[in-house]
Amino acid sequence: MLKTMSFQGFPHQQPAPGAPDLPGSPQKLPFTSEAESEASMSEASSEDLVPPLEAEEAPDRGEEEAAKKKKKKKKKSKGLASMFSVFTKGRRKKGQPSSAETEGGSESQSRPAGRLPTVEELKADLERGRLEAAGPLLALERELQAATAAGGLSEEELLRRQSKVEALYVLLRDRVLGLLRRPLEAAPERLRQALAVLAEQEREDRAAAAAAAAAAAGPGPSALAATRPRRWLQLWRRGVAQAAEERLGQRPAAGAEGRTEVERAFLHMGRTMKQDLEAVVERLKPLFPAEFAVVAAYAESYHEHFATQLADLAQFELSERDTYVLLLWVQNLYPNDIINSPKLAGELQGVRLGSLLPPKQIRLLEATFLSNEVTSVKELMARALELESQRWTQDVAPQRLDGRCHSELAIDIIQIISQGQAKAESITLDLGSQIKHRLLVELAAFLKSYQRAFDEFLERCKQLGNYRAIVIANINNCLSFRMFVDQKWQIPQDLRSHLLSPLNELKSHGVDTLLQNLFGVLKPLFKRFTQTRWAAPAETLEEIISAVGERLPEFSELQDCFREELMGVVHLHLVREYIIRLSKRCLVLKTAEQQQRLAGHILANAELIQRFCTQNGSPATWLHRALPMLAEIIRLQDPSAIKIEVATYATWYPDFSKGHLGAILAVKGNLSSGEVRSIRSVLDIDTGAHEPAKSLFSLIKVG
């Protein structure tokens, strides 16, 4: 029979100091943020994982407690006495106080061996934080259950005793959960005690549930009120969730100038979550029973609060910067730098945390980001071109870099495009792929605008002192753009040609502008061929070559590739103007000797032109046959041989027309009109032109 117990003044259901606010869900803390430090996520300071633990001090029992200790105890059953023996087991030697003594004195140890604790003594032990009282309290609960099953006590007495047991359990619960609420501040041994009590209570809950199921078909209901399951493990998890909310909801430390409020909040929450979970893995996991899944419990609570904050934020209209930052955390930093960080990846592998936002909301945010970023890139490029155009019209001399005229425009545009691409890729590679096509479209539109602005400058600003230098700087820009497109994006050749066509136009117009004065100087020199009826072609051509050589240093500030292209244009101009002079029909040679002499002059002139242009970097090797083959047509006398040479010539220069051929044959005054018609008819046959065909004779007008 259970001894009748009495403990007047017991504070029924009163939480102990420092115990968590268990009933209901915790009050949501306001979402706050301020400047974070610029340092990256550092190792966790495990002491920061939880708020400071309030000191747990037992109240002074006073004279009433002392009087109760002097009362004579009634003899208890042997079984109950053995259960209470937990108070005398494992005592330390003299001079080595136990953890209970450290917190609450030596009252329990002064109790004689074998003497059973009173309810008041259990209450005092629990108030002083002595978790060893959990064993006797469990024995007391079981004795009460046995007494109920045996009968003999009134229902009123049973309920009175049960209320005292439950009051003791409230004290025990508050002490256990209070320690687990701030686990990193508890000594490892104390933490193990609290966990052992919690595990024991979970086992008792399961046993009670099984017993209740078995007794469901038995006799009527028990006189005792149902007190199990107590669900302390559930209360502990609720406390973990509250701790997560408090930790993530704290105001960030000052610092992190230049960051938006959203950035500071995310940085604080991300750093705190990573540090705290690392502390849980390193310091708590070794102490907690595996079935408690302590890492998963903390991870799920922190994840839930983080996700709630993001979901609330995503409901509002965000700035461009905050939209990017939110996506960056959801899609990259949170899953990669926190969940899959080296210290946490293995621990969280089996924890299904999921994404911070649902897929549909992520897609909407990504669409907003893409639209914002493309618009921003477009505006930044337009502004860069506007500033560059202003420098042109203000006659600001371009910079010189390694002896070349240099403009920052290409660098600015490349940086703008690259940053837009990098921002998208920093969220996900898939988003980077999505923005790539849009950026190419905007780049193509910009290059067209660039070409139009440059053409307008060429037309209106010829009088400026730095006109030629500005033209050269913009031609040089084409190389930077071309290299950027080739290296950054692997795109089909047709798309590349379309994208770069405005640059080709810009370069062509710029080169033509640079050569305009030179070609003006050469024009009267070429006229001498016809004016002197080819009397001294060698001297005339040498003067032409000399004039070109004197002007070449003017183009030294071009990039090498563009200087070579410019030399190719000069090469084409020399050959074209030479053919024009041959085609003027002002020279008619009646004899084969005269024709052979002229052919010899043409061959010598062709050699000089080819050697000069090649030595100065001309890549126009396709022009090498133009003059020598015309000389051969003039030298040959047999119409059949002439036909073969004309057919061969047409394969190399498909734009060689009957009009051009007729002008050349006019030099051969010994051909009959029938022979001329027969030779010209060769061009009616498809000769199978060499590809790719370039324009030469289409640039030459004949009468």
Side-chain angles (χ1 to χ4, degrees):
M1 184 70 65
L2 184 67
K3 178 188 174 205
T4 301
M5 295 170 289
S6 173
F7 41 94
Q8 290 88 359
F10 192 99
H12 186 63
Q13 302 285 337
Q14 183 68 26
D21 209 1
L22 297 171
S25 59
Q27 182 179 1
K28 187 174 183 180
L29 297 178
F31 180 73
T32 59
S33 62
E34 63 180 18
E36 280 282 339
S37 67
E38 291 295 334
S40 61
M41 293 186 179
S42 60
E43 289 298 318
S45 175
S46 55
E47 288 76 7
D48 291 340
L49 181 57
V50 291
L53 177 63
E54 297 177 10
E56 297 181 8
E57 298 181 1
D60 187 4
R61 303 293 297 168
E63 296 181 358
E64 178 184 357
E65 191 68 30
K68 290 179 180 179
K69 292 178 183 178
K70 293 179 181 180
K71 287 184 179 181
K72 184 178 181 181
K73 304 299 185 291
K74 292 185 179 180
K75 186 176 182 180
K76 301 246 181 203
S77 67
K78 182 177 180 180
L80 184 58
S82 65
M83 287 193 174
F84 283 162
S85 66
V86 70
F87 287 96
T88 62
K89 287 182 180 179
R91 286 197 176 130
R92 300 176 184 268
K93 294 181 180 181
K94 188 174 182 180
Q96 296 180 350
S98 67
S99 59
E101 290 174 335
T102 302
E103 294 199 13
S106 58
E107 182 179 341
S108 293
Q109 288 192 356
S110 64
R111 187 180 303 127
R115 187 177 68 78
L116 302 177
T118 64
V119 171
E120 289 81 358
E121 288 172 339
L122 287 176
K123 175 175 175 287
D125 286 343
L126 291 173
E127 286 177 339
R128 297 186 184 197
R130 293 179 182 140
L131 301 184
E132 295 88 340
L137 179 55
L138 180 58
L140 197 63
E141 180 184 14
R142 289 172 177 171
E143 288 290 342
L144 180 59
Q145 294 169 352
T148 302
L153 291 178
S154 67
E155 181 177 343
E156 180 181 358
E157 177 64 15
L158 291 172
L159 291 175
R160 187 179 69 83
R161 295 184 183 186
Q162 184 185 35
S163 68
K164 295 179 180 180
V165 170
E166 293 307 309
L168 292 173
Y169 266 119
V170 169
L171 281 177
L172 178 61
R173 179 199 69 187
D174 292 347
R175 292 306 181 194
V176 169
L177 296 181
L179 281 170
L180 298 180
R181 181 69 173 80
R182 300 166 178 85
L184 294 178
E185 294 192 351
E189 185 58 35
R190 289 281 292 164
L191 190 58
R192 287 191 182 93
Q193 285 182 316
L195 291 169
V197 173
L198 183 57
E200 180 64 29
Q201 289 301 310
E202 282 297 299
R203 289 193 293 271
E204 288 298 313
D205 279 354
R206 291 193 293 270
S222 169
L224 296 178
T227 58
R228 289 194 182 274
R230 290 194 170 90
R231 297 186 176 90
W232 286 11
L233 188 61
Q234 181 178 338
L235 295 179
W236 166 70
R237 290 195 176 105
R238 188 183 302 170
V240 170
Q242 185 178 359
E245 183 173 349
E246 291 172 358
R247 287 286 291 157
L248 296 185
Q250 290 175 355
R251 295 184 64 86
E257 293 297 331
R259 299 184 186 274
T260 67
E261 183 178 0
V262 171
E263 285 181 273
R264 294 195 299 269
F266 286 169
L267 184 59
H268 162 69
M269 289 193 295
R271 177 181 292 134
T272 301
M273 179 175 179
K274 183 179 182 182
Q275 293 173 352
D276 290 3
L277 291 185
E278 288 177 351
V280 169
V281 169
E282 294 171 359
R283 298 184 55 187
L284 297 188
K285 184 184 176 184
L287 301 177
F288 273 66
E291 61 268 22
F292 283 18
V294 62
V295 176
Y298 274 92
E300 289 167 354
S301 295
Y302 276 72
H303 174 85
E304 181 178 356
H305 184 75
F306 209 140
T308 299
Q309 294 289 352
L310 263 65
D312 291 344
L313 183 65
Q315 301 302 317
F316 296 94
E317 184 175 352
L318 300 173
S319 67
E320 293 181 15
R321 177 67 182 173
D322 288 344
T323 299
Y324 164 68
V325 170
L326 191 151
L327 281 172
L328 183 65
W329 274 95
V330 171
Q331 298 286 71
N332 184 353
L333 298 181
Y334 183 81
N336 295 324
D337 291 2
I338 298 180
I339 303 304
N340 287 312
S341 64
K343 293 184 178 180
L344 298 179
E347 301 294 338
L348 300 179
Q349 193 171 16
V351 183
R352 297 182 179 180
L353 297 179
S355 175
L356 289 173
L357 290 176
K360 182 178 180 181
Q361 197 165 25
I362 292 175
R363 287 194 297 270
L364 290 175
L365 287 169
E366 287 179 342
T368 301
F369 164 78
L370 290 174
S371 176
N372 290 343
E373 194 60 30
V374 170
T375 300
S376 176
V377 165
K378 182 177 181 179
E379 293 174 351
L380 289 172
M381 290 194 299
R383 179 58 177 161
L385 179 57
E386 179 183 359
L387 293 175
E388 183 71 8
S389 300
Q390 290 176 3
R391 285 190 284 269
W392 299 342
T393 57
Q394 292 168 3
D395 200 20
V396 177
Q399 303 175 35
R400 262 68 175 182
L401 186 63
D402 296 330
R404 307 289 192 267
C405 290
H406 173 74
S407 167
E408 293 289 321
L409 178 63
I411 295 176
D412 292 341
I413 299 304
I414 290 170
Q415 286 181 345
I416 292 169
I417 293 285
S418 298
Q419 287 171 0
Q421 180 80 21
K423 282 179 69 175
E425 290 177 346
S426 71
I427 297 172
T428 64
L429 293 179
D430 178 66
L431 202 60
S433 298
Q434 292 182 46
I435 204 172
K436 174 181 175 180
H437 176 71
R438 301 189 186 193
L439 293 179
L440 282 173
V441 170
E442 293 304 323
L443 178 59
F446 166 80
L447 293 178
K448 290 179 180 178
S449 299
Y450 180 28
Q451 180 205 339
R452 288 194 295 270
F454 183 67
D455 285 347
E456 184 177 347
F457 166 77
L458 292 179
E459 184 66 27
R460 296 185 179 183
C461 301
K462 295 179 180 180
Q463 76 285 355
L464 296 179
N466 292 303
Y467 179 74
R468 290 178 64 83
I470 293 172
V471 171
I472 291 174
N474 281 279
I475 294 174
N476 288 341
N477 267 342
C478 296
L479 178 61
S480 299
F481 282 119
R482 184 192 299 168
M483 293 176 60
F484 172 67
V485 170
D486 290 341
Q487 295 173 5
K488 183 70 175 179
W489 288 304
Q490 302 298 323
I491 56 178
Q493 183 61 36
D494 57 342
L495 180 58
R496 177 185 181 277
S497 299
H498 173 73
L499 180 64
L500 297 180
S501 61
L503 291 178
N504 293 332
E505 290 293 323
L506 182 152
K507 178 192 63 179
S508 177
H509 295 169
V511 168
D512 289 346
T513 299
L514 294 177
L515 292 174
Q516 197 170 35
N517 290 340
L518 172 61
F519 291 167
V521 171
L522 298 181
K523 188 172 184 178
L525 296 178
F526 272 106
K527 286 183 177 181
R528 289 186 187 176
F529 284 112
T530 53
Q531 289 171 350
T532 62
R533 298 178 62 82
W534 296 84
E539 292 78 0
T540 302
L541 185 61
E542 286 177 357
E543 191 172 348
I544 291 172
I545 295 299
S546 177
V548 174
E550 290 175 0
R551 303 295 292 269
L552 288 183
E554 297 178 7
F555 314 115
S556 62
E557 291 181 318
L558 282 168
Q559 292 289 351
D560 291 344
C561 60
F562 296 129
R563 192 168 61 251
E564 291 172 0
E565 289 186 39
L566 178 141
M567 198 62 216
V569 174
V570 172
H571 193 170
L572 173 61
H573 181 79
L574 295 179
V575 172
R576 180 174 66 89
E577 287 298 316
Y578 196 95
I579 294 174
I580 289 174
R581 297 306 147 186
L582 277 177
S583 306
K584 285 298 184 178
R585 299 177 185 267
C586 62
L587 181 64
V588 179
L589 304 177
K590 298 288 187 177
T591 68
E593 182 181 356
Q594 292 174 326
Q595 295 172 15
Q596 290 172 357
R597 187 181 303 114
L598 177 61
H601 289 316
I602 295 173
L603 283 174
N605 291 163
E607 173 64 22
L608 179 59
I609 292 173
Q610 177 181 330
R611 183 171 63 253
F612 172 78
C613 293
T614 302
Q615 288 176 348
N616 285 280
S618 170
T621 57
W622 65 280
L623 291 171
H624 290 176
R625 294 177 177 82
L627 294 180
M629 293 185 74
L630 286 181
E632 185 67 7
I633 292 173
I634 293 174
R635 185 188 69 82
L636 291 172
Q637 300 301 308
D638 179 31
S640 297
I642 295 174
K643 288 182 180 180
I644 295 174
E645 192 66 20
V646 168
T648 303
Y649 196 73
T651 62
W652 287 102
Y653 304 100
D655 55 352
F656 185 55
S657 67
K658 289 182 178 181
H660 297 110
L661 176 58
I664 297 299
L665 293 178
V667 175
K668 300 173 71 66
N670 56 353
L671 289 175
S672 67
S673 59
E675 289 173 328
V676 170
R677 284 195 300 272
S678 177
I679 294 171
R680 291 179 61 181
S681 67
V682 171
L683 297 180
D684 293 331
I685 304 171
D686 184 3
T687 56
H690 290 276
E691 296 293 342
K694 298 179 184 289
S695 296
L696 172 58
F697 287 93
S698 58
L699 304 176
I700 300 172
K701 295 181 179 180
V702 290

